[in-house]
PDB file of all heavy atoms in Angstrom:
ATOM      1  N   THR A  10     112.762  93.518 110.654  1.00  0.00           N
ATOM      2  CA  THR A  10     114.217  93.499 110.768  1.00  0.00           C
ATOM      3  C   THR A  10     114.823  94.673 110.008  1.00  0.00           C
ATOM      4  O   THR A  10     115.716  95.370 110.513  1.00  0.00           O
ATOM      5  CB  THR A  10     114.778  92.179 110.224  1.00  0.00           C
ATOM      6  OG1 THR A  10     114.208  91.087 110.957  1.00  0.00           O
ATOM      7  CG2 THR A  10     116.291  92.140 110.357  1.00  0.00           C
ATOM      8  N   LEU A  14     117.032  97.926 111.580  1.00  0.00           N
ATOM      9  CA  LEU A  14     118.335  98.372 111.093  1.00  0.00           C
ATOM     10  C   LEU A  14     118.306  99.852 110.713  1.00  0.00           C
ATOM     11  O   LEU A  14     119.265 100.590 110.969  1.00  0.00           O
ATOM     12  CB  LEU A  14     118.754  97.528 109.890  1.00  0.00           C
ATOM     13  CG  LEU A  14     119.189  96.090 110.200  1.00  0.00           C
ATOM     14  CD1 LEU A  14     119.271  95.278 108.924  1.00  0.00           C
ATOM     15  CD2 LEU A  14     120.526  96.080 110.935  1.00  0.00           C
ATOM     16  N   LEU A  17     118.231 102.370 113.787  1.00  0.00           N
ATOM     17  CA  LEU A  17     119.507 102.589 114.456  1.00  0.00           C
ATOM     18  C   LEU A  17     120.285 103.747 113.844  1.00  0.00           C
ATOM     19  O   LEU A  17     121.208 104.271 114.460  1.00  0.00           O
ATOM     20  CB  LEU A  17     120.355 101.312 114.397  1.00  0.00           C
ATOM     21  CG  LEU A  17     119.812 100.095 115.159  1.00  0.00           C
ATOM     22  CD1 LEU A  17     120.657  98.862 114.856  1.00  0.00           C
ATOM     23  CD2 LEU A  17     119.795 100.373 116.659  1.00  0.00           C
ATOM     24  N   ARG A  18     119.906 104.147 112.650  1.00  0.00           N
ATOM     25  CA  ARG A  18     120.700 105.123 111.904  1.00  0.00           C
ATOM     26  C   ARG A  18     119.986 106.449 111.671  1.00  0.00           C
ATOM     27  O   ARG A  18     120.515 107.321 110.986  1.00  0.00           O
ATOM     28  CB  ARG A  18     121.144 104.495 110.574  1.00  0.00           C
ATOM     29  CG  ARG A  18     122.208 103.430 110.807  1.00  0.00           C
ATOM     30  CD  ARG A  18     122.394 102.478 109.661  1.00  0.00           C
ATOM     31  NE  ARG A  18     123.485 101.553 109.966  1.00  0.00           N
ATOM     32  CZ  ARG A  18     123.349 100.464 110.716  1.00  0.00           C
ATOM     33  NH1 ARG A  18     122.174 100.153 111.214  1.00  0.00           N
ATOM     34  NH2 ARG A  18     124.390  99.691 110.974  1.00  0.00           N
ATOM     35  N   PHE A 175     118.245  87.707 102.312  1.00  0.00           N
ATOM     36  CA  PHE A 175     118.266  88.842 103.228  1.00  0.00           C
ATOM     37  C   PHE A 175     119.663  89.434 103.390  1.00  0.00           C
ATOM     38  O   PHE A 175     119.839  90.657 103.317  1.00  0.00           O
ATOM     39  CB  PHE A 175     117.706  88.434 104.592  1.00  0.00           C
ATOM     40  CG  PHE A 175     117.625  89.580 105.564  1.00  0.00           C
ATOM     41  CD1 PHE A 175     116.577  90.486 105.500  1.00  0.00           C
ATOM     42  CD2 PHE A 175     118.608  89.783 106.518  1.00  0.00           C
ATOM     43  CE1 PHE A 175     116.496  91.559 106.367  1.00  0.00           C
ATOM     44  CE2 PHE A 175     118.548  90.851 107.396  1.00  0.00           C
ATOM     45  CZ  PHE A 175     117.490  91.738 107.317  1.00  0.00           C
ATOM     46  N   ASP A 176     120.661  88.599 103.626  1.00  0.00           N
ATOM     47  CA  ASP A 176     122.007  89.130 103.863  1.00  0.00           C
ATOM     48  C   ASP A 176     122.521  89.889 102.639  1.00  0.00           C
ATOM     49  O   ASP A 176     123.105  90.978 102.767  1.00  0.00           O
ATOM     50  CB  ASP A 176     122.968  88.003 104.225  1.00  0.00           C
ATOM     51  CG  ASP A 176     122.778  87.521 105.661  1.00  0.00           C
ATOM     52  OD1 ASP A 176     121.925  88.094 106.363  1.00  0.00           O
ATOM     53  OD2 ASP A 176     123.471  86.574 106.074  1.00  0.00           O
ATOM     54  N   MET A 179     120.765  93.223 102.484  1.00  0.00           N
ATOM     55  CA  MET A 179     121.290  94.224 103.397  1.00  0.00           C
ATOM     56  C   MET A 179     122.647  94.740 102.935  1.00  0.00           C
ATOM     57  O   MET A 179     122.967  95.927 103.092  1.00  0.00           O
ATOM     58  CB  MET A 179     121.399  93.638 104.810  1.00  0.00           C
ATOM     59  CG  MET A 179     120.036  93.330 105.438  1.00  0.00           C
ATOM     60  SD  MET A 179     118.935  94.786 105.543  1.00  0.00           S
ATOM     61  CE  MET A 179     117.944  94.582 104.043  1.00  0.00           C
ATOM     62  N   GLU A 180     123.456  93.873 102.355  1.00  0.00           N
ATOM     63  CA  GLU A 180     124.733  94.330 101.816  1.00  0.00           C
ATOM     64  C   GLU A 180     124.509  95.359 100.709  1.00  0.00           C
ATOM     65  O   GLU A 180     125.221  96.366 100.616  1.00  0.00           O
ATOM     66  CB  GLU A 180     125.526  93.136 101.289  1.00  0.00           C
ATOM     67  CG  GLU A 180     126.045  92.224 102.392  1.00  0.00           C
ATOM     68  CD  GLU A 180     126.618  90.931 101.856  1.00  0.00           C
ATOM     69  OE1 GLU A 180     126.720  90.788 100.612  1.00  0.00           O
ATOM     70  OE2 GLU A 180     126.947  90.042 102.665  1.00  0.00           O
ATOM     71  N   PHE A 183     123.263  98.641 102.434  1.00  0.00           N
ATOM     72  CA  PHE A 183     124.354  99.343 103.118  1.00  0.00           C
ATOM     73  C   PHE A 183     125.316  99.963 102.102  1.00  0.00           C
ATOM     74  O   PHE A 183     125.851 101.056 102.328  1.00  0.00           O
ATOM     75  CB  PHE A 183     125.085  98.380 104.058  1.00  0.00           C
ATOM     76  CG  PHE A 183     124.468  98.271 105.418  1.00  0.00           C
ATOM     77  CD1 PHE A 183     123.214  97.698 105.582  1.00  0.00           C
ATOM     78  CD2 PHE A 183     125.114  98.748 106.539  1.00  0.00           C
ATOM     79  CE1 PHE A 183     122.615  97.604 106.827  1.00  0.00           C
ATOM     80  CE2 PHE A 183     124.535  98.666 107.794  1.00  0.00           C
ATOM     81  CZ  PHE A 183     123.273  98.094 107.944  1.00  0.00           C
ATOM     82  N   ALA A 189     128.895 101.373 106.869  1.00  0.00           N
ATOM     83  CA  ALA A 189     129.775 100.249 107.182  1.00  0.00           C
ATOM     84  C   ALA A 189     128.928  99.033 107.558  1.00  0.00           C
ATOM     85  O   ALA A 189     127.986  99.141 108.344  1.00  0.00           O
ATOM     86  CB  ALA A 189     130.714 100.617 108.324  1.00  0.00           C
ATOM     87  N   LEU A 190     129.269  97.893 107.000  1.00  0.00           N
ATOM     88  CA  LEU A 190     128.511  96.675 107.278  1.00  0.00           C
ATOM     89  C   LEU A 190     128.741  96.206 108.711  1.00  0.00           C
ATOM     90  O   LEU A 190     129.882  96.179 109.183  1.00  0.00           O
ATOM     91  CB  LEU A 190     128.924  95.557 106.327  1.00  0.00           C
ATOM     92  CG  LEU A 190     128.295  95.536 104.932  1.00  0.00           C
ATOM     93  CD1 LEU A 190     129.012  94.506 104.063  1.00  0.00           C
ATOM     94  CD2 LEU A 190     126.823  95.209 105.021  1.00  0.00           C
ATOM     95  N   PRO A 191     127.682  95.800 109.449  1.00  0.00           N
ATOM     96  CA  PRO A 191     127.869  95.192 110.766  1.00  0.00           C
ATOM     97  C   PRO A 191     128.378  93.761 110.607  1.00  0.00           C
ATOM     98  O   PRO A 191     128.379  93.201 109.503  1.00  0.00           O
ATOM     99  CB  PRO A 191     126.450  95.210 111.355  1.00  0.00           C
ATOM    100  CG  PRO A 191     125.555  95.150 110.166  1.00  0.00           C
ATOM    101  CD  PRO A 191     126.261  95.919 109.075  1.00  0.00           C
ATOM    102  N   ASN A 192     128.807  93.167 111.709  1.00  0.00           N
ATOM    103  CA  ASN A 192     129.305  91.793 111.655  1.00  0.00           C
ATOM    104  C   ASN A 192     128.197  90.799 111.319  1.00  0.00           C
ATOM    105  O   ASN A 192     128.427  89.778 110.680  1.00  0.00           O
ATOM    106  CB  ASN A 192     129.958  91.410 112.991  1.00  0.00           C
ATOM    107  CG  ASN A 192     131.232  92.191 113.239  1.00  0.00           C
ATOM    108  OD1 ASN A 192     131.950  92.535 112.286  1.00  0.00           O
ATOM    109  ND2 ASN A 192     131.531  92.475 114.494  1.00  0.00           N
ATOM    110  N   ASP A 193     126.990  91.086 111.788  1.00  0.00           N
ATOM    111  CA  ASP A 193     125.840  90.255 111.430  1.00  0.00           C
ATOM    112  C   ASP A 193     124.587  91.115 111.509  1.00  0.00           C
ATOM    113  O   ASP A 193     124.606  92.217 112.053  1.00  0.00           O
ATOM    114  CB  ASP A 193     125.713  89.034 112.351  1.00  0.00           C
ATOM    115  CG  ASP A 193     125.649  89.412 113.822  1.00  0.00           C
ATOM    116  OD1 ASP A 193     124.706  90.143 114.203  1.00  0.00           O
ATOM    117  OD2 ASP A 193     126.523  88.985 114.593  1.00  0.00           O
ATOM    118  N   PHE A 194     123.500  90.594 110.938  1.00  0.00           N
ATOM    119  CA  PHE A 194     122.247  91.322 110.913  1.00  0.00           C
ATOM    120  C   PHE A 194     121.269  90.691 111.897  1.00  0.00           C
ATOM    121  O   PHE A 194     121.082  89.475 111.884  1.00  0.00           O
ATOM    122  CB  PHE A 194     121.643  91.299 109.509  1.00  0.00           C
ATOM    123  CG  PHE A 194     122.513  91.952 108.477  1.00  0.00           C
ATOM    124  CD1 PHE A 194     123.117  91.197 107.490  1.00  0.00           C
ATOM    125  CD2 PHE A 194     122.732  93.322 108.494  1.00  0.00           C
ATOM    126  CE1 PHE A 194     123.913  91.794 106.533  1.00  0.00           C
ATOM    127  CE2 PHE A 194     123.537  93.924 107.537  1.00  0.00           C
ATOM    128  CZ  PHE A 194     124.123  93.156 106.557  1.00  0.00           C
ATOM    129  N   PRO A 195     120.650  91.488 112.767  1.00  0.00           N
ATOM    130  CA  PRO A 195     119.659  90.937 113.701  1.00  0.00           C
ATOM    131  C   PRO A 195     118.436  90.458 112.939  1.00  0.00           C
ATOM    132  O   PRO A 195     118.111  90.938 111.852  1.00  0.00           O
ATOM    133  CB  PRO A 195     119.319  92.139 114.589  1.00  0.00           C
ATOM    134  CG  PRO A 195     119.582  93.331 113.716  1.00  0.00           C
ATOM    135  CD  PRO A 195     120.752  92.959 112.860  1.00  0.00           C
ATOM    136  N   ARG A 196     117.736  89.491 113.520  1.00  0.00           N
ATOM    137  CA  ARG A 196     116.501  88.987 112.922  1.00  0.00           C
ATOM    138  C   ARG A 196     115.357  89.252 113.892  1.00  0.00           C
ATOM    139  O   ARG A 196     115.462  88.963 115.094  1.00  0.00           O
ATOM    140  CB  ARG A 196     116.581  87.487 112.641  1.00  0.00           C
ATOM    141  CG  ARG A 196     117.658  87.082 111.636  1.00  0.00           C
ATOM    142  CD  ARG A 196     117.396  87.653 110.245  1.00  0.00           C
ATOM    143  NE  ARG A 196     118.123  86.950 109.208  1.00  0.00           N
ATOM    144  CZ  ARG A 196     119.380  87.209 108.853  1.00  0.00           C
ATOM    145  NH1 ARG A 196     120.053  88.157 109.472  1.00  0.00           N
ATOM    146  NH2 ARG A 196     119.963  86.538 107.893  1.00  0.00           N
TER     147      ARG A 196
END
Side-chain angles (χ1 to χ4, degrees):
T10 301
L14 287 167
L17 295 172
R18 289 162 177 82
F175 183 80
D176 284 358
M179 293 302 96
E180 290 170 6
F183 274 67
L190 278 170
N192 292 328
D193 55 60
F194 298 112
R196 297 296 199 275

